Amino acid sequence: MDDALHPYVLRLGDNALVLSQRLGEWCGKGPALEEDMALTNVALDLLGQARMWLSYAAELQGDGADEDSLAYHRNAPEFRNLLLVEQPNGSYADTLVRQFFFDAWHALALRELGRSSESRVAGIAQKAAKEVAYHLRRSSDLIVRLGDGTARSHEMMQAAVDNLWRFTGEMFETDAIDAAARAAGAGFDATSLRREWLAYVGEVLETGTLRMPPPEAWMQKGGKQGVHSEHLSRLLAEMQVLQRTHPGAKW
Amino acid sequence: MHTATTDVWRWLSEIPDPEVPAVSIVDLGIVRDVRHGADARLVVTVTPTYSGCPATEVIANSIREALQDHGVADARIEMQLSPAWTTDWLTPEAKEKLRRYGIAPPAGLAPGERAIDASRILRYRPADDGVTCPRCGSARTELISGFGSTPCKALYRCVACREPFDYFKPH
Ligand SMILES: [Zn+2]
């Protein structure tokens, strides 16, 4: 087992997997056909990325684990995703703001990870970064259109921004796992990433006539260490029920 | 006896892409390499277009079948992620085949690595891409949705002939 990289790669895989599952809940229920297709396309990209990360994590783990056992046979405290991605879909405004906050971080994080000296991490990140560039373009555009839309859409978007803001701090928290990954040639400087994220997010929100909450506001953390909200348990219950009931089922 | 790799390339160039059957998997640049491994077995290296592309496994199966049809039963198919697939690998012939099929081919090169820049992303206008209608050739086109029937395509509409069409996004 490679202790330096395994937990780090697991975090990247879990972020993609959990958000993909959340977006999948919109399938067939999007507010418009184009939106439904866009959400499910983004979900599909994230699922593909999750498979690449989790396959690598399973190899590093080396005890016969594979992408499926990691996805279907772990309990909530073993998941290492950010709290942001497990937040419920809520209204369409909540879904979009969650996506926008994550996309902006994801695009920056993947750009940095693509420069890793650890070649497998760099390869996956370079591949994923191309997809996430389109995700970010879409979510940024919608933040502006709905923020600077009707009074009602503006109000809903501002409420979503204010409500989800407390989950953004965790993206820039670093612990021993981040440090070990950096020492192993993968990872990034979270402080400079945060500066870039705040600048980008601030500019998009402002263009959409939305108010950015204070960066120094109190932030909720713990997802990266396995301390999750009950929302994750419910999401996993739905995602894992088939494999838990019929282990190894295939179609 | 070794199968000539030139023959293998020819066989593979007859396998249509499952989602865009107008072009072959060789036209799209999905087949990266054909060689003989140290154990003399044939090795075909492929790369996924998108990480979540459900066609990737279909493609691997089609390759296996095509090789079996030509008497190669023990070929190995390897997946290679890096360098990441890009639409820049589409040949001019492949782009022309796409257009004839009704899909506008990628205009320009794939966006390279750069800082995320709000003013650039927000100033972005699909018209700047120079996407032309695959039916009437008009440059007066508009984006309907950044994501179309598959993640690799966007949905556009031609202002001149009013037809909607798929656009193969630079990637
Ligand atoms: Zn036209």
Side-chain angles (χ1 to χ4, degrees):
Chain A
M1 168 121 153
D2 185 328
D3 288 330
L5 270 183
H6 173 263
Y8 189 79
V9 173
L10 204 54
R11 285 176 174 176
L12 293 166
D14 286 347
N15 282 337
L17 179 64
V18 170
L19 187 54
S20 167
Q21 178 71 14
R22 273 286 179 243
L23 293 176
E25 291 170 13
W26 275 108
C27 186
K29 298 182 214 156
L33 182 61
E34 290 78 14
E35 279 305 302
D36 203 291
M37 281 162 62
L39 283 169
T40 40
N41 272 318
V42 172
L44 188 61
D45 282 343
L46 290 170
L47 187 62
Q49 295 167 18
R51 291 186 62 183
M52 299 193 293
W53 292 124
L54 293 181
S55 296
Y56 188 31
E59 282 173 41
L60 293 167
Q61 195 170 318
D63 58 357
D66 62 17
E67 50 173 311
D68 286 340
S69 69
L70 289 179
Y72 297 123
H73 296 288
R74 280 183 300 150
N75 296 317
E78 296 165 275
F79 273 75
R80 294 290 183 264
N81 58 276
L82 298 163
L83 295 172
L84 176 67
V85 297
E86 73 196 46
Q87 295 310 306
N89 285 340
S91 71
Y92 208 61
D94 299 314
T95 291
L96 284 176
V97 170
R98 180 186 65 199
Q99 193 67 36
F100 170 63
F101 286 163
F102 180 75
D103 288 344
W105 173 83
H106 207 197
L108 291 168
L110 291 171
R111 184 194 68 198
E112 295 300 310
L113 290 170
R115 297 169 181 161
S116 300
S117 57
E118 211 278 340
S119 63
R120 183 84 171 265
V121 168
I124 298 174
Q126 285 163 14
K127 178 100 202 126
K130 285 164 156 278
E131 292 154 8
V132 171
Y134 281 105
H135 303 175
L136 180 62
R137 181 185 284 180
R138 167 179 174 272
S139 59
S140 303
D141 186 48
L142 285 167
I143 292 291
V144 172
R145 277 159 63 186
L146 292 172
D148 193 13
T150 64
R152 174 92 180 115
S153 75
H154 174 87
E155 184 192 325
M156 288 178 74
M157 293 297 278
Q158 186 66 58
V161 167
D162 294 342
N163 179 44
L164 290 167
W165 187 251
R166 67 184 190 277
F167 299 110
T168 58
E170 195 188 11
M171 302 191 285
F172 309 100
E173 280 289 308
T174 50
D175 63 6
I177 289 173
D178 296 287
R182 271 196 99 180
F188 44 79
D189 173 11
T191 314
S192 69
L193 208 73
R194 179 169 182 265
R195 209 176 305 122
E196 222 177 325
W197 185 88
L198 285 170
Y200 178 79
V201 166
E203 194 175 341
V204 174
L205 290 177
E206 194 187 339
T207 313
T209 69
L210 294 162
R211 192 180 59 252
M212 183 166 87
E216 61 283 0
W218 177 81
M219 295 286 173
Q220 188 120 28
K221 345 182 142 139
K224 287 168 70 173
Q225 288 78 27
V227 184
H228 295 281
S229 61
E230 61 180 320
H231 302 305
L232 183 67
S233 312
R234 294 214 197 97
L235 176 145
L236 294 180
E238 190 178 319
M239 186 179 86
Q240 297 177 333
V241 63
L242 184 83
Q243 284 298 327
R244 296 268 185 160
T245 320
H246 307 282
K250 286 190 192 321
W251 65 79
Chain B
M1 201 189 81
H2 270 189
T3 316
T5 52
T6 45
D7 285 338
V8 177
W9 277 107
R10 191 158 38 79
W11 303 334
L12 298 181
S13 69
E14 283 158 14
I15 301 177
D17 177 77
E19 283 178 349
V20 194
V23 288
S24 81
I25 58 174
V26 172
D27 288 332
L28 278 178
I30 292 171
V31 181
R32 301 309 302 154
D33 190 32
V34 175
R35 64 189 164 86
H36 290 95
D39 56 359
R41 278 169 69 190
L42 188 71
V43 182
V44 177
T45 308
V46 295
T47 193
T49 50
Y50 276 67
S51 2
C53 186
T56 309
E57 275 154 44
V58 179
I59 290 169
N61 285 334
S62 321
I63 293 175
R64 237 172 250 121
E65 277 171 28
L67 292 174
Q68 268 162 14
D69 288 349
H70 289 95
V72 184
D74 61 347
R76 206 164 45 230
I77 296 167
E78 288 180 355
M79 199 60 76
Q80 177 191 308
L81 218 53
S82 186
W85 179 82
T86 165
T87 47
D88 299 348
W89 293 342
L90 264 65
T91 58
E93 297 77 48
K95 292 187 180 177
E96 191 43 44
K97 285 185 196 169
L98 282 174
R99 199 189 319 275
R100 280 202 305 268
Y101 187 66
I103 298 175
L109 296 179
E113 180 189 333
R114 51 189 165 196
I116 62 170
D117 169 359
S119 56
R120 183 182 58 78
I121 290 181
L122 295 175
R123 262 200 328 266
Y124 165 78
R125 289 292 167 268
D128 301 343
D129 286 348
V131 178
T132 52
C133 172
R135 287 183 179 77
C136 74
S138 169
R140 289 167 56 219
T141 60
E142 58 189 13
L143 176 76
I144 301 174
S145 174
F147 294 85
S149 52
T150 62
C152 59
K153 287 174 253 159
L155 194 58
Y156 270 72
R157 177 168 38 219
C158 176
V159 180
C161 75
R162 306 306 299 169
E163 284 290 329
F165 63 90
D166 273 335
Y167 171 53
F168 208 117
K169 292 183 278 194
H171 184 76

